[in-house]
Amino acid sequence: MAAFIGEPIMGAGGVLMPPESYWPEVQRICRKYDVLLVADEVICGFGRTGHMFGSERFGIEPDMMTLAKGITSGYLPLSAVMVSAHIAGKLIEQGGEFAHGYTYSGHPAACAVALANISLLEQEDLVRRTHEETGPHLKARLQELLDHPLVGEVRSEGLIGAVELVKDKQARSRWDDKSTAGQICRDHCFASNIILRAVRDTMVFSPPLIIEMSQIDQLVDGLRASLDRTAAELGRA
């Protein structure tokens, strides 16, 4: 048995968005050749993309999903694996039971936090709000950065986004040291009390789902100011 494993949106690699046709085609190929489709929902799960899971956003039905981070919003460490009924059924049919377990499976304190966290997601309507309000506002504000001399591309889905920095906008070229601009910009962001991560020369971020519109404005305005300072430091202003 083979399996294809991937993130709906590649997070740590720089928030790389797949073409709309990508995941449906991957699923089609997996179904055709009886390959298990495993979605890594550690970053995309629990509302981050404006859907409860990133798989929903791209219209796929994975055989398995790995979960962490958003399941407790990081208040306590917990991870999980969701398994489709046909896989569990096959194990029960051929083995008599769905035997599985990990050293800390079902830790009561971590699971209690997860239940409370998921309850808050539902009570505060955060997934819908991300999809209809804060996510679109973040996308619109990020588009405004495209006129900056350092910005080659912006991309976002829900409340996960990236701003890619380039040395030359026309050639879309980068610095020889591919972390130069990113590290400089990150330091300016921290000094401005906004938190972004530099993945080489790409600024990535995934703010809390409770973020307000005014805080999104503060984030993007602070990033623009940090980009200005970075450009001046690099002699690209």
Side-chain angles (χ1 to χ4, degrees):
M1 175 63 73
F4 181 98
I5 305 172
E7 293 180 286
I9 294 172
M10 186 182 293
V15 185
L16 304 178
M17 306 292 178
E20 291 295 331
S21 60
Y22 177 78
W23 278 111
E25 183 65 6
V26 167
Q27 179 170 262
R28 184 192 68 78
I29 294 169
C30 287
R31 296 289 183 263
K32 179 179 179 179
Y33 295 102
D34 197 24
V35 174
L36 293 179
L37 179 57
V38 182
D40 178 349
E41 295 273 2
V42 171
I43 290 176
C44 295
F46 298 96
R48 176 59 54 190
T49 66
H51 300 262
M52 183 56 82
F53 297 104
S55 299
E56 295 177 271
R57 161 62 182 85
F58 295 104
I60 60 171
E61 297 181 0
D63 299 295
M64 302 173 70
M65 295 197 305
T66 57
L67 313 172
K69 291 186 179 179
I71 197 171
T72 64
S73 285
Y75 289 110
L76 275 185
L78 181 69
S79 61
V81 176
M82 295 182 71
V83 179
S84 64
H86 76 270
I87 291 179
K90 184 65 68 174
L91 292 170
I92 293 170
E93 175 188 327
Q94 296 188 4
E97 63 176 324
F98 181 21
H100 63 288
Y102 306 95
T103 302
Y104 290 104
S105 285
H107 191 288
C111 288
V113 170
L115 288 172
N117 179 64
I118 294 169
S119 178
L120 283 171
L121 287 176
E122 295 172 343
Q123 290 173 25
E124 301 293 332
D125 204 17
L126 293 178
V127 180
R128 182 205 61 79
R129 187 167 174 266
T130 298
H131 180 67
E132 298 180 5
E133 299 173 20
T134 51
H137 185 60
L138 175 62
K139 184 181 289 289
R141 287 303 318 271
L142 288 176
Q143 291 295 315
E144 298 173 11
L145 297 177
L146 286 172
D147 65 354
H148 196 279
L150 288 187
V151 176
E153 182 178 81
V154 299
R155 45 188 181 265
S156 70
E157 188 70 48
L159 287 175
I160 182 171
V163 175
E164 194 162 336
L165 310 185
V166 293
K167 184 177 182 180
D168 184 296
K169 287 174 74 78
Q170 297 302 318
R172 297 179 65 82
S173 61
R174 305 190 184 206
W175 287 264
D176 294 334
D177 179 350
K178 292 185 174 59
S179 62
T180 298
Q183 292 299 317
I184 292 172
C185 187
R186 185 203 65 175
D187 292 344
H188 285 303
C189 286
F190 284 4
S192 300
N193 294 319
I194 59 172
I195 299 174
L196 285 87
R197 177 182 178 186
V199 177
R200 296 175 296 279
D201 286 331
T202 300
M203 308 306 297
V204 302
F205 45 93
S206 52
L209 301 189
I210 58 171
I211 193 169
E212 300 289 342
M213 298 290 202
S214 61
Q215 293 171 323
I216 291 174
D217 293 334
Q218 181 182 356
L219 169 66
V220 178
D221 291 344
L223 176 54
R224 179 178 283 277
S226 299
L227 288 168
D228 289 343
R229 298 185 184 103
T230 302
E233 190 167 336
L234 292 170
R236 305 295 299 177

